[in-house]
Amino acid sequence: MTFASSDNSSKWCAMKISYNWLKKYIGLSTSAEDLTDLLTFIGIEVEAIEEIGKFLQQIKVAKIVNKQKHPDADKLSICTVFDGIQNINIVCGAPNCATNQKVALAPVGTDLGSFKIKKTKIRGVESCGMLCSEKELGLTNNHDGILVLPDSAVEGTSLADFFEIKDVVYDVEITPNRPDLLGMIGVARDIAAKLNLTVNYPNPKLSEGKERITDLLELENRNSSECTRYLARVIKGVTVRESPMWLQNTLRAVGIKPINNIVDVSNYVMMEYGHPLHAFDYDKIIDRKIVVRNAQAGENISALDNFDYELISSDLVIADTKKPIALAGIIGGSNSHITNETVNIVIESANFKYSTVRKTASRLKINTDSSYRFERNMSDENAVIASVRAAELILALAGGELAEGSLDSYPSPNSQTSIVLRIERANKLLSLDLSADTIISFLIPLGLVVTESSEEIITFLIPHFRKDLEREIDLIEEIIRLHGYNKVGQKTFPQKIMNRKKFYLRRNLQDFLIQRGFFEVVNWPFSDPEDLDRLKLSGEDDRKKCIFLKNPLGTRFSIMQTSLLPNLLKNSLHNINHGVKSFRLFELTKVYLDKSNTLATEEYHLSFVMTGNLQNTFWREKESMLDFFDLKGLSEDLLEFCGIYNFVMSPISRSYYHPGLAVSLSIDEDCFGEFGKLDAKVLEDFGIEQEFFYFDINLERIINHDIVKTKDFIKMPKYPDVQRDISFIVSKDFHYSEIRNSIISVSPKLISNVVLFDEYKGKGINEGCRSLSISLTLSSDNNTLTDEICNKTIDKIFAKLTQDFAIEKR
């Protein structure tokens, strides 16, 4: 039972897929990048991608051509190193460096994570790189000296190429119903089925000795309902040592730390077949007997993660005649694990009830690669091939003699499931027209076997490792998964039932206003023609072109509303009559205009009115009334919130506005809104005797002209901003927005903000002119701005303003 970490942590990767490892089983021509999309399409969610060997690509094979003692340090040496191109000097403190050695060189510029290699002087001698140890390269924990490479290593070759550990690894999440995908072979099988490739399955063969396993070991399974299968093999005379480099690199690629050749093989087979294994030291099993049983209440086990666990009677353990030696399906015990002194081993390949493993692992808070797999209902039959494969590899890498036969407790063999697939039913559900041969070509590579086939039905025998295939609909799901969801033709086109951009704009505007103390009103879309007269609209005004109802409820409801203002003022009067003097109301709905001789236009408008105090009464602050500039600030905030920029405010004259206190909103001379202070006489006609402010925008015009812009993320500046103020005299004929755009055009990347903070008209200023004072914010993402750069920019701004507006600098 392979364990994933030694710190009892729950942070471990559920499954890693190695691109190179997959290529051992299938002739994969798909690039590593394209394989990401392919895995997603076949139902394997890729959460992250890692390039193995990218770090070692920086490290070069080099040769020490000369070594001499450092003149000012007893423990340092000056090595002349040939890196494949030239000789360079390296000051090294490793005790094992010697002339003619092949070593790992980190040249100048190499990024080692915690620091970067630079050319430096050590005790007065220049050093142009570093000779690395195994620990510094992340290969092992050995830091006793530098890594010495074989003489066959070629100078200038990257360490990644020399060790052949360049790989791409995918961190994936496997759905709980697909334990067959928790091994490389299962993933390769699905990819091969999708790409119509052949899988080269391992074909392990064993050479057994003369000694029978029944003479060496005894097996007793006391709980066959929770340990559905237990298979054991014995190998005597093994040599425990470090695994060959290919095995170590393969395990490291999928996130498993190499330990020794025996443990590494069990981990390798687990990642290959997805079935966990465990190896016991045979000589530590008391009475040479393995007992599968429930733990005794209060019984303890010291696990391989260096923690002691107190067990309860529902926990399943692997034991000898005296003590537990493993927690079934979760983690091994420290009293029987493989050490360098181990000579004889027992290979365990078993299967345990998923609920038992899950309960124990959850209660003890142990998460391992083994428990992760057993919790997903592994196949009993998979235990056999995993056991054979592990025994083959151990004999090849550790030597020894395999005892004849195996101990196999399998009291209740599973029978294979058959599923009948109706071809017409599958095609109807998938909106496809697949033949029986095509369906069979999809499912056979997954391990299914056809037992009966006709034009109407196909009967499939389900392989033991696909426990998720239980019904006809499961087979149909496999068909469309391999056929490709993206290949299903579009039978009907979706109806455009809503404009999403308009919908979200309306909802965002409602949220914005409600958060700022507004109340939404909902009025009938009908209006009174006399209300338009109260607004003193001219006969040529579009809002006077009304749509009259054929059967109105009365004169007051005889037209479709052409403006939201009348109804808002009526709502306001109702509130005032009930003693509410300070409030804010808005309505977002359609207005109806008769602009043609056919159908009326229906356009969404947002209108709001506000009156009374600026804020709620508070004893520490003086009351202040709303004014035009409060309205202007709120209007600007609203437009900026919606992503509407570069709009122009221009003074306007309307019959219902107070003279000089109303502006229009436009972009490229296209007016989309207005706001201002309402005229007292108009308010009086509606029965209102206090100040009111009004705002209105046409949402249709905003949407149709694509005025709303998506907000882009802006990084925090790396370098400090510079603030500069400028003042000048300019003609009143020029609008501030024109001046602002002209300033920004001088250097859009450098000028990040332009704010008008003062306007002066009076003594010392010529008639028809005004003095403007503007604050500029200069910023750069590349470097700190110097006075020279800022001054040049200010000079360019004045030159531009003089050219465009004939300003006079103050």
Side-chain angles (χ1 to χ4, degrees):
M1 288 157 285
T2 310
F3 67 95
S5 64
S6 61
D7 60 353
N8 202 31
S9 170
S10 62
K11 296 180 180 179
W12 91 107
C13 179
M15 180 63 182
K16 289 178 178 281
I17 297 175
S18 163
Y19 179 76
N20 287 345
W21 201 341
L22 284 177
K23 290 171 69 175
K24 294 181 180 180
Y25 308 117
I26 51 179
L28 197 59
S29 58
T30 305
S31 68
E33 187 178 24
D34 292 340
L35 185 60
T36 305
D37 295 331
L38 179 63
L39 290 171
T40 301
F41 273 112
I42 64 174
I44 300 176
E45 181 183 354
V46 179
E47 296 187 335
I49 303 174
E50 180 185 1
E51 291 186 42
I52 303 297
K54 188 176 182 179
F55 166 72
L56 293 182
Q57 197 70 31
Q58 310 172 91
I59 312 300
K60 305 297 181 182
V61 175
K63 181 179 181 180
I64 301 176
V65 296
N66 184 38
K67 174 193 172 184
Q68 58 184 0
K69 186 179 178 182
H70 194 292
D72 295 328
D74 294 337
K75 295 184 178 181
L76 296 180
S77 302
I78 302 174
C79 299
T80 302
V81 177
F82 178 63
D83 64 0
I85 300 175
Q86 60 183 345
N87 287 334
I88 58 176
N89 282 341
I90 305 286
V91 177
C92 180
N96 64 328
C97 62
T99 303
N100 295 325
Q101 280 180 341
K102 297 290 180 72
V103 293
L105 168 66
V108 173
T110 301
D111 188 354
L112 294 179
S114 58
F115 63 95
K116 201 170 187 178
I117 300 298
K118 299 179 180 178
K119 184 185 293 187
T120 186
K121 283 188 176 183
I122 301 177
R123 295 287 183 93
V125 178
E126 188 175 66
S127 181
C128 300
M130 184 177 82
L131 303 184
C132 302
S133 67
E134 295 179 31
K135 184 176 182 179
E136 289 163 337
L137 297 174
L139 300 176
T140 69
N141 289 323
N142 184 6
H143 196 54
D144 295 336
I146 60 173
L147 172 64
V148 179
L149 301 172
D151 293 338
S152 59
V154 178
E155 296 93 326
T157 305
S158 75
L159 220 59
D161 291 331
F162 175 73
F163 284 130
E164 297 181 349
I165 56 174
K166 291 176 64 176
D167 198 358
V168 176
V169 174
Y170 309 88
D171 285 359
V172 300
E173 182 63 37
I174 305 299
T175 55
N177 66 327
R178 291 298 306 274
D180 59 298
L181 294 179
L182 293 173
M184 297 295 166
I185 287 178
V187 176
R189 185 191 297 116
D190 265 34
I191 294 175
K194 177 69 176 177
L195 300 179
N196 195 25
L197 301 174
T198 301
V199 181
N200 300 314
Y201 294 104
N203 185 25
K205 296 180 180 179
L206 298 179
S207 176
E208 297 180 335
K210 296 180 180 180
E211 199 169 8
R212 292 182 299 180
I213 192 172
T214 52
D215 297 332
L216 301 173
L217 189 66
E218 184 181 351
L219 172 63
E220 180 183 358
N221 187 353
R222 296 179 185 174
N223 192 343
S224 58
S225 63
E226 295 186 2
C227 176
T228 54
R229 188 165 197 173
Y230 194 97
L231 191 148
R233 296 182 187 274
V234 174
I235 302 179
K236 301 185 72 175
V238 300
T239 301
V240 179
R241 54 176 172 253
E242 191 177 76
S243 296
M245 192 57 67
W246 70 265
L247 180 53
Q248 292 188 45
N249 291 338
T250 302
L251 293 179
R252 286 194 188 99
V254 293
I256 296 178
K257 177 184 176 182
I259 299 175
N260 58 55
N261 52 356
I262 306 298
V263 176
D264 291 352
V265 165
S266 67
N267 285 330
Y268 180 87
V269 174
M270 177 192 69
M271 295 303 299
E272 184 176 45
Y273 284 95
H275 197 97
L277 303 168
H278 188 63
F280 298 104
D281 188 324
Y282 171 81
D283 297 308
K284 294 179 181 178
I285 300 175
I286 297 176
D287 295 332
R288 308 296 184 261
K289 182 177 182 179
I290 290 179
V291 182
V292 183
R293 61 173 174 82
N294 286 91
Q296 300 171 10
E299 197 169 24
N300 290 285
I301 183 172
S302 296
L304 288 172
D305 58 2
N306 298 319
F307 283 87
D308 293 338
Y309 297 99
E310 184 175 340
L311 308 179
I312 59 178
S313 58
S314 61
D315 297 329
L316 192 67
V317 298
I318 312 301
D320 54 24
T321 57
K322 300 292 184 182
K323 62 186 183 303
I325 57 177
L327 266 175
I330 302 174
I331 195 168
S334 59
N335 54 10
S336 60
H337 71 294
I338 305 299
T339 66
N340 291 336
E341 289 73 37
T342 299
V343 177
N344 307 312
I345 65 170
V346 176
I347 305 173
E348 171 197 276
S349 184
N351 193 25
F352 306 100
K353 189 176 180 180
Y354 61 91
S355 58
T356 301
V357 175
R358 184 179 300 136
K359 289 176 182 177
T360 299
S362 176
R363 183 180 64 82
L364 298 177
K365 295 180 175 58
I366 306 175
N367 294 311
T368 64
D369 285 324
S370 176
S371 65
Y372 179 81
R373 285 163 172 77
F374 281 123
E375 287 174 11
R376 280 151 177 76
N377 197 9
M378 302 296 297
S379 163
D380 292 334
E381 288 75 8
N382 224 31
V384 178
I385 186 63
S387 174
V388 173
R389 176 66 164 159
E392 178 194 48
L393 290 173
I394 289 174
L395 291 173
L397 301 180
E401 182 177 296
L402 175 66
E404 180 184 351
S406 62
L407 300 179
D408 190 1
S409 172
Y410 191 26
S412 303
N414 297 314
S415 58
Q416 281 189 273
T417 303
S418 291
I419 299 178
V420 176
L421 176 68
R422 293 167 289 176
I423 300 174
E424 183 181 357
R425 172 69 172 165
N427 283 324
K428 184 177 180 180
L429 284 176
L430 301 178
S431 299
L432 297 173
D433 186 19
L434 302 177
S435 65
D437 291 339
T438 302
I439 291 174
I440 291 172
S441 69
F442 284 144
L443 299 181
I444 290 295
L446 295 178
L448 281 69
V449 176
V450 177
T451 58
E452 182 183 351
S453 176
S454 67
E455 293 182 358
E456 291 81 25
I457 65 168
I458 311 172
T459 303
F460 289 97
L461 194 63
I462 309 302
H464 61 84
F465 50 80
R466 289 303 303 271
K467 291 186 176 183
D468 59 305
L469 302 181
E470 299 175 341
R471 302 173 297 164
E472 181 186 37
I473 194 65
D474 296 328
L475 297 185
I476 294 174
E477 182 182 354
E478 292 298 291
I479 292 170
I480 189 59
R481 185 170 67 88
L482 296 174
H483 174 76
Y485 294 98
N486 56 328
K487 293 182 181 179
V488 178
Q490 190 174 8
K491 299 297 182 182
T492 58
F493 293 95
Q495 299 299 311
K496 185 178 180 181
I497 60 175
M498 65 179 289
N499 184 322
R500 291 185 178 274
K501 190 172 183 180
K502 187 190 301 182
F503 172 79
Y504 286 113
L505 176 61
R506 294 202 308 265
R507 189 165 72 178
N508 290 338
L509 286 169
Q510 289 169 317
D511 291 342
F512 176 88
L513 291 173
I514 289 171
Q515 290 167 6
R516 282 153 181 81
F518 281 80
F519 290 90
E520 183 175 11
V521 297
V522 179
N523 293 302
W524 284 356
F526 313 127
S527 188
D528 186 346
E530 293 184 2
D531 290 339
L532 302 180
D533 296 333
R534 294 188 183 99
L535 294 178
K536 298 178 173 55
L537 297 178
S538 66
E540 298 177 355
D541 195 301
D542 286 341
R543 285 167 290 187
K544 294 283 282 187
K545 299 174 182 178
C546 308
I547 307 296
F548 286 87
L549 301 179
K550 287 186 177 181
N551 297 300
L553 296 174
T555 305
R556 293 173 55 195
F557 308 101
S558 60
I559 64 171
M560 302 298 292
Q561 63 185 3
T562 58
S563 171
L564 303 184
L565 178 57
N567 281 335
L568 282 172
L569 291 177
K570 291 177 182 180
N571 298 140
S572 300
L573 179 62
H574 178 79
N575 281 274
I576 292 171
N577 289 339
H578 284 77
V580 183
K581 303 298 182 181
S582 298
F583 54 85
R584 304 179 183 191
L585 303 178
F586 79 92
E587 185 171 18
L588 199 164
T589 188
K590 293 179 180 178
V591 299
Y592 304 83
L593 300 175
D594 187 12
K595 292 184 177 180
S596 64
N597 296 324
T598 54
L599 295 175
T601 60
E602 302 180 22
E603 298 179 338
Y604 271 100
H605 276 240
L606 170 68
S607 297
F608 66 73
V609 292
M610 49 198 297
T611 185
N613 294 333
L614 175 61
Q615 56 195 13
N616 294 332
T617 302
F618 183 54
W619 66 274
R620 293 188 60 182
E621 296 181 3
K622 293 183 179 180
E623 289 187 357
S624 58
M625 304 298 290
L626 286 163
D627 60 24
F628 175 80
F629 293 101
D630 296 321
L631 173 64
K632 179 176 179 290
L634 179 61
S635 303
E636 291 174 334
D637 287 346
L638 185 146
L639 295 175
E640 184 177 347
F641 171 79
C642 294
I644 303 174
Y645 305 101
N646 300 324
F647 55 87
V648 175
M649 294 184 182
S650 303
I652 58 171
S653 177
R654 298 280 189 269
S655 59
Y656 45 87
Y657 282 129
H658 189 286
L661 291 177
V663 298
S664 66
L665 300 168
S666 60
I667 291 182
D668 297 332
E669 299 183 355
D670 182 14
C671 180
F672 64 88
E674 61 182 43
F675 64 85
K677 181 181 178 181
L678 293 175
D679 186 74
K681 293 181 180 179
V682 171
L683 292 172
E684 186 178 344
D685 289 341
F686 280 89
I688 298 174
E689 298 179 356
Q690 63 185 67
E691 291 185 343
F692 262 82
F693 300 90
Y694 174 63
F695 172 93
D696 176 74
I697 54 173
N698 185 328
L699 299 186
E700 303 291 342
R701 191 160 296 172
I702 291 174
I703 295 295
N704 294 339
H705 291 277
D706 197 25
I707 297 175
V708 177
K709 303 299 181 183
T710 303
K711 293 183 180 180
D712 295 327
F713 172 75
I714 300 176
K715 293 182 180 180
M716 292 289 289
K718 295 181 179 179
Y719 304 98
D721 295 337
V722 176
Q723 300 289 336
R724 290 291 178 93
D725 296 340
I726 59 174
S727 296
F728 52 87
I729 299 172
V730 66
S731 171
K732 292 180 180 179
D733 296 335
F734 298 113
H735 196 277
Y736 167 69
S737 60
E738 298 176 283
I739 298 172
R740 183 179 184 275
N741 292 336
S742 179
I743 293 173
I744 293 175
S745 68
V746 171
S747 181
K749 292 184 178 180
L750 200 62
I751 304 171
S752 59
N753 197 20
V754 178
V755 177
L756 173 67
F757 67 87
D758 186 57
E759 178 188 35
Y760 174 70
K761 304 172 189 175
K763 188 177 180 180
I765 305 298
N766 294 333
E767 186 69 24
C769 295
R770 57 179 175 165
S771 172
L772 299 181
S773 295
I774 294 176
S775 175
L776 306 176
T777 302
L778 308 180
S779 60
S780 172
D781 293 332
N782 302 319
N783 52 273
T784 300
L785 295 176
T786 62
D787 286 340
E788 181 182 359
I789 296 174
C790 296
N791 293 336
K792 286 184 178 179
T793 304
I794 297 299
D795 291 342
K796 289 180 181 179
I797 291 173
F798 276 119
K800 177 69 172 174
L801 295 177
T802 302
Q803 176 185 336
D804 294 347
F805 309 109
I807 68 162
E808 180 182 341
K809 187 176 178 182
R810 295 193 73 186

